Amino acid sequence: MRIQVAIIGAGPAGLLLGRLLEKAGIETIILERRSQDHVLGRIRAGVLEQGTVELLDKAGVAERLHAEGLIHDGVEFCFDGDRHRFNFRELIGRTVTVYGQTEVTRDLMHARDASGSKTIYEADNVTLHDFDGDTPRVRYVKGGVEHELTCDFIAGCDGYHGVSRASVPEEAIRTFERVYPFGWLGILADTPPVGEELIYAHHERGFALCSMRSPTRSRYYIQVPAGEKVDEWSDDRFWDELRRRVDAETAGTLITGPSIEKSIALLRSFVAEPLRFGRLFLAGDAAHIVPPTGAKGLNLAASDVGALAEALIEFYRERSTAGIDGYSSRVLARIWKAERFSWWMTSILHTFPDTDAFGRRIQRAEFDYLRTSPAAARSLAENYTGLPF
Ligand code: RFL
Ligand code: PHB
């Protein structure tokens, strides 16, 4: 079978790329290793930058997002019980939208199903071939039968553990990585959120985050050491620990309930360079990972595929390779800024095993500087709400 663009992975990056290309009349097939239900069952990011919302608008999949998404004008930081609100709208005239990654994925899947574009779920043993030439091929097994696709381009949108980046010869790629000695234990509960906006809390016992999915569904996280087991955390133990890390008012008004999901995600910073290898492109988590503290993972995936879609559309419409030639350096410039911001947010808000008294005073000084300097607050606002696409 022949197709214009073969997309590996039906996460937000692959699905959004497919949708943007389909709107421009470019044919795609998405190959996804897991089932549709499995992809929809993963609870991940929750905060969308304005640029991401605009891109989803452009893709024609933002109707429900506008009806159900919660627009937040700012966030709160809490440092050893002292709370401060950063009003992004006042600082820089921008906001963020709280709308779960699961819902973005669902909306994209519905649009794709309605348009008749093909997604092959439970595609096993996906392998990439000949992407250094003009006619790349992708092989996969579905229901025990081997299939082969011939295409113009392959988009590797298959996440950190995917096959796309792993198919690139070692000497052609360079990677940069930092692994943090802790993870986030997250809980989802059908309880009203404790605050109207997100609260990022630094405490001697570790970081905590109060987030939400809707007026009746909350998402909370606490920092735990790497290697911690979810089974060791009963709901009661989680709620008790969360209360200890936030300010007294938040702890006093927190409404708890049974968890409907509980999982641990390890924190990592990672970037691969370059992101184009002949006719193979990497985008989203296949290309980079950020610790979730800056809420950038999903948003970076969206900006990558926004740029990749533009480049491929330019190739098909104008027979120009300028866009695809510039893809890697264009997106890496934005990726590194988001990496910097996510690393910085992680550094100031978490407790590190080797943080001494000096280090804690520096963290406190960062908080006080942000709290008292409009220039520092504007920098936070600009990065959190998203740098220009
Ligand atoms: P995804 O969402 O990982 O999707 C990749 C898809 O590719 C499929 N796949 C393959 N398909 C075919 N063949 C193969 N060999 C394949 N290997 C993999 C996978 O099944 C999957 O469906 O990457 P994408 O689309 O780039 O989207 C990126 C975002 O999902 C990611 O950046 C964020 O969710 C990161 N992230 C979080 N970001 C936040 O901003 N806030 C969060 O709270 C947050 N929590 C998280 C997260 C990522 C997590 N992961 C990846 C472990 C929590 C977790 C657990
Ligand atoms: C979430 O709601 O899952 C969430 C929000 C903000 C973050 C990370 C995760 O920085």
Side-chain angles (χ1 to χ4, degrees):
M1 185 175 172
R2 188 166 174 101
I3 193 84
Q4 289 177 299
V5 181
I7 300 174
I8 320 298
L15 287 165
L16 180 56
L17 177 65
R19 177 70 183 168
L20 292 167
L21 294 179
E22 172 196 301
K23 289 206 83 163
I26 298 167
E27 285 181 331
T28 63
I29 278 192
I30 300 183
L31 300 177
E32 165 59 51
R33 188 172 55 160
R34 315 304 291 249
S35 69
Q36 189 162 9
D37 284 347
H38 179 97
V39 174
L40 280 174
R42 296 188 294 222
I43 309 295
R44 290 184 178 177
V47 177
L48 305 184
E49 296 172 359
Q50 218 163 294
T52 303
V53 173
E54 283 159 18
L55 196 58
L56 292 165
D57 261 326
K58 192 170 150 194
V61 291
E63 202 178 312
R64 200 162 64 93
L65 186 163
H66 287 300
E68 296 175 18
L70 310 171
I71 294 178
H72 283 194
D73 286 356
V75 297
E76 293 195 79
F77 276 21
C78 174
F79 203 97
D80 288 343
D82 295 337
R83 236 162 76 193
H84 182 82
R85 173 165 187 251
F86 297 94
N87 186 329
F88 301 148
R89 193 190 285 276
E90 261 174 29
L91 285 161
I92 57 160
R94 293 176 75 81
T95 59
V96 292
T97 303
V98 170
Y99 189 68
Q101 176 168 334
T102 316
E103 305 312 314
V104 173
T105 307
R106 196 187 305 278
D107 295 342
L108 284 163
M109 282 177 174
H110 280 162
R112 191 167 175 89
D113 290 346
S115 74
S117 294
K118 220 167 170 183
T119 310
I120 317 269
Y121 289 98
E122 296 173 272
D124 294 325
N125 295 337
V126 172
T127 52
L128 281 51
H129 308 270
D130 302 336
F131 49 81
D132 51 348
D134 285 344
T135 320
R137 289 172 302 118
V138 180
R139 291 206 194 114
Y140 65 97
V141 175
K142 170 75 187 176
V145 181
E146 188 163 32
H147 298 266
E148 184 176 282
L149 294 172
T150 309
C151 55
D152 298 331
F153 298 102
I154 303 172
C157 301
D158 47 353
Y160 181 67
H161 299 288
V163 66
S164 300
R165 196 181 66 250
S167 306
V168 174
E170 217 174 287
E171 63 279 8
I173 192 166
R174 186 166 175 206
T175 59
F176 304 81
E177 184 170 45
R178 178 152 302 181
V179 180
Y180 302 87
F182 43 74
W184 281 15
L185 169 61
I187 238 182
L188 192 67
D190 278 328
T191 54
V194 69
E196 281 183 20
E197 293 174 341
L198 272 60
I199 305 171
Y200 289 86
H202 170 93
H203 190 272
E204 211 172 356
R205 298 180 63 86
F207 170 79
L209 171 61
C210 306
S211 183
M212 66 196 71
R213 289 292 176 272
S214 74
T216 56
R217 182 167 284 188
S218 307
R219 179 81 168 151
Y220 295 100
Y221 298 94
I222 55 170
Q223 174 188 348
V224 293
E228 198 83 354
K229 302 266 182 307
V230 184
D231 309 344
E232 288 160 11
W233 285 87
S234 66
D235 289 357
D236 284 344
R237 183 176 173 208
F238 180 94
W239 295 122
D240 287 344
E241 188 59 36
L242 178 64
R243 275 194 214 94
R244 298 168 86 159
R245 296 186 187 188
V246 294
D247 60 290
E249 189 196 337
T250 303
T253 49
L254 179 74
I255 299 176
T256 64
S259 63
I260 50 176
E261 197 264 357
K262 201 191 285 165
S263 55
I264 293 179
L266 288 175
L267 267 63
R268 180 191 303 273
S269 296
F270 172 87
V271 183
E273 290 184 2
L275 298 177
R276 179 207 176 178
F277 309 89
R279 286 178 171 249
L280 165 66
F281 301 90
L282 301 181
D285 277 14
H288 43 72
I289 295 288
V290 284
T293 328
K296 290 281 162 262
L298 171 59
N299 292 294
L300 268 187
S303 57
D304 288 357
V305 298
L308 183 53
E310 265 178 33
L312 292 171
I313 292 166
E314 185 181 314
F315 175 85
Y316 283 109
R317 288 207 180 137
E318 299 165 30
R319 288 284 142 191
S320 159
T321 62
I324 56 177
D325 291 342
Y327 167 74
S328 182
S329 55
R330 180 179 170 201
V331 294
L332 277 166
R334 191 172 187 279
I335 289 163
W336 273 112
K337 288 181 201 141
E339 288 284 343
R340 182 205 71 84
F341 178 68
S342 305
W343 162 84
W344 172 78
M345 281 267 287
T346 304
S347 313
I348 63 166
L349 289 169
H350 291 74
T351 301
F352 289 73
D354 56 356
T355 305
D356 55 7
F358 177 85
R360 293 214 74 233
R361 286 289 194 278
I362 293 289
Q363 286 179 318
R364 175 79 210 189
E366 285 270 13
F367 174 70
D368 288 338
Y369 178 50
L370 285 167
R371 208 162 46 86
T372 53
S373 159
R378 269 201 299 278
S379 167
L380 169 72
E382 185 175 74
N383 281 280
Y384 192 89
T385 60
L387 295 172
F389 269 35

